[in-house]
Amino acid sequence: MATEQELSEFLKSVEKRAFKRSVYHVRNDEAALDIVQDSMMKLVEHYSHKPPEELPMLFQRILSNTTLDWFRRQKTRNALFSNLGDFESEGDDGEFNLLENLDSSDASTQVESAESSTQRAQIFREIEMEIQELPARQREAFLMRYWEELDVAETAAAMGCSEGSVKTHCSRAVQALNKALRAKGIQL
Amino acid sequence: MKTMSVTANLSAQDRYGRQLAAYLDASAQQLPHDISERLRVARQQALGKYREVQIRETASTSLGGGVAALGGGEDERGLWPRLVSLIPLLALIAGLVTIQMVGTEQIAEELAELDAAILTDDLPPDAYSDPGFAQFLKARIDQLRQD
């Protein structure tokens, strides 16, 4: 069973990535915050008796399900959203880009020149935009596999699909990102 | 040769994926202050919930026996506690049935004793319906009272 300290450290270690992951899916900061908070609550309410090593996997699954629940609620509210993979881009004025650019400039003045800082922020922004453009399942598989560092089996369990599907989704996601970023002149 | 090529492709794919993830990580560390604060508050609320859950579980464990004996409690209890909670009710029903049986038996015994006394008496039972004998008994009782 996880102690309060272990739970606190775990939540602290995942909260920012969970928020960004939710933002990539729902494209709304407020909704993403709600999703992360709901996921944290569900984890402690139903799974706090589990050993600490099981928490990452459980949290990823809860986060995915809570995000899906959010989409389902949206779907009932708005008939336009009929498919998770059919979202249109909201436009060029992404809600977090300006703040991130400003914030990243502040943080990087100590170690980087203004030019490289801006360039770096631009790369972040482009990568995030391309990730948002991926189909939902590819994005989910890519983020779990490479960002959350789950292995193929864990990702498959969290997504409720086969390991083969995870490999396919990841492969397509990486290829799409590589192609899109190259087209924009971004070489990693 | 083909296998080696696939493996090389996969590792290149993994490498690229991890490079992208590193950028995402760096980006996630630069969240606006208000978002970071709200995430911190969400975490604190979740930990508050954790404490509530702990207290509730401790309380339900320590009060489980008492609640079972009183016949109340939550549905999530197991079969045995629920069966145990029926014991007081069964004892009450058994007690009422015993009292009823004992009472019936006592009344039957009293009636039997009365019948036996009347039947074994020297006086025949028909005498009690004779008006002369009733008058005799009344006069006898009056005389005994006067003495």
Side-chain angles (χ1 to χ4, degrees):
Chain A
M1 182 177 162
T3 64
E4 187 176 339
Q5 180 68 23
E6 286 168 335
L7 205 56
S8 175
E9 282 169 10
F10 168 72
L11 292 176
K12 196 172 181 179
S13 71
V14 295
E15 64 189 17
K16 287 182 178 171
R17 272 180 294 155
F19 169 74
K20 292 294 274 189
R21 220 181 100 191
S22 300
V23 169
Y24 297 147
H25 286 302
V26 302
R27 305 179 186 194
N28 180 304
D29 281 7
E30 291 298 321
L33 279 166
D34 287 345
I35 288 168
V36 174
Q37 183 166 15
D38 283 354
S39 303
M40 286 178 171
M41 285 292 190
K42 284 176 189 168
L43 182 79
V44 297
E45 198 168 359
H46 301 294
Y47 300 102
S48 56
H49 59 282
K50 295 279 185 185
E53 57 272 16
E54 287 185 26
L55 294 180
M57 176 74 181
L58 286 166
F59 186 71
Q60 295 313 320
R61 188 149 200 168
I62 292 169
L63 190 68
S64 297
N65 288 338
T66 311
T67 309
L68 275 177
D69 287 343
W70 184 88
F71 277 116
R72 286 191 192 109
R73 283 198 300 273
Q74 289 298 109
K75 191 178 169 184
T76 55
R77 281 179 202 163
N78 190 345
L80 286 173
F81 292 165
S82 58
N83 189 317
L84 295 189
D86 289 346
F87 291 109
E88 292 297 326
S89 173
E90 285 178 351
D92 294 333
D93 54 344
E95 55 279 359
F96 52 84
N97 293 341
L98 179 61
L99 281 175
E100 279 195 347
N101 283 339
L102 289 172
D103 196 44
S104 112
S105 299
D106 292 343
S108 57
T109 44
Q110 298 163 3
V111 291
E112 290 180 299
S113 71
E115 189 184 346
S116 64
S117 162
T118 310
Q119 197 177 11
R120 194 173 155 83
Q122 181 67 20
I123 293 173
F124 287 165
R125 200 167 67 88
E126 296 292 351
I127 292 172
E128 287 181 336
M129 277 175 64
E130 291 306 327
I131 284 174
Q132 285 182 338
E133 292 302 316
L134 288 175
R137 297 292 278 175
Q138 285 184 25
R139 183 171 54 233
E140 186 79 356
F142 173 82
L143 292 175
M144 280 195 198
R145 181 81 184 83
Y146 295 115
W147 204 16
E148 302 296 345
E149 295 181 341
L150 301 183
D151 62 29
V152 175
E154 288 170 334
T155 308
M159 290 179 67
C161 65
S162 69
E163 293 184 21
S165 298
V166 169
K167 288 176 187 168
T168 308
H169 287 318
C170 284
S171 174
R172 286 181 183 165
V174 168
Q175 280 174 20
L177 289 169
N178 188 17
K179 191 177 169 188
L181 291 173
R182 275 176 189 275
K184 290 180 175 178
I186 297 172
Q187 301 274 356
L188 299 183
Chain B
M1 194 67 186
K2 192 180 174 185
T3 313
M4 279 178 66
S5 163
V6 169
T7 312
N9 273 341
L10 278 178
S11 62
Q13 174 191 310
D14 287 346
R15 233 183 359 260
Y16 191 77
R18 292 203 170 102
Q19 277 181 313
L20 283 172
Y23 274 92
L24 294 179
D25 245 346
S27 171
Q29 295 312 312
Q30 297 175 4
L31 284 179
H33 179 69
D34 65 320
I35 298 285
S36 302
E37 273 304 294
R38 287 174 70 178
L39 286 171
R40 189 185 61 77
V41 170
R43 175 167 26 100
Q44 294 300 332
Q45 284 179 350
L47 291 172
K49 187 80 186 173
Y50 173 81
R51 282 177 219 120
E52 268 178 39
V53 170
Q54 294 300 106
I55 291 167
R56 203 167 57 216
E57 280 180 3
T58 310
S60 70
T61 307
S62 60
L63 292 175
V67 172
L70 289 171
E74 303 287 325
D75 285 335
E76 61 201 27
R77 288 182 298 124
L79 178 64
W80 282 110
R82 266 189 259 176
L83 288 177
V84 168
S85 70
L86 288 176
I87 288 176
L89 182 65
L90 292 174
L92 180 67
I93 291 169
L96 288 172
V97 169
T98 307
I99 289 168
Q100 171 73 15
M101 285 171 68
V102 168
T104 309
E105 202 168 321
Q106 271 183 348
I107 290 168
E109 275 178 14
E110 282 171 10
L111 287 173
E113 276 175 19
L114 200 61
D115 286 348
I118 290 169
L119 289 171
T120 54
D121 198 0
D122 292 338
L123 200 64
D126 290 342
Y128 292 99
S129 59
D130 184 55
F133 184 66
Q135 189 61 36
F136 165 75
L137 284 177
K138 194 179 172 188
R140 187 77 190 271
I141 289 165
D142 289 343
Q143 193 183 351
L144 286 171
R145 278 182 185 159
Q146 282 171 7
D147 292 343

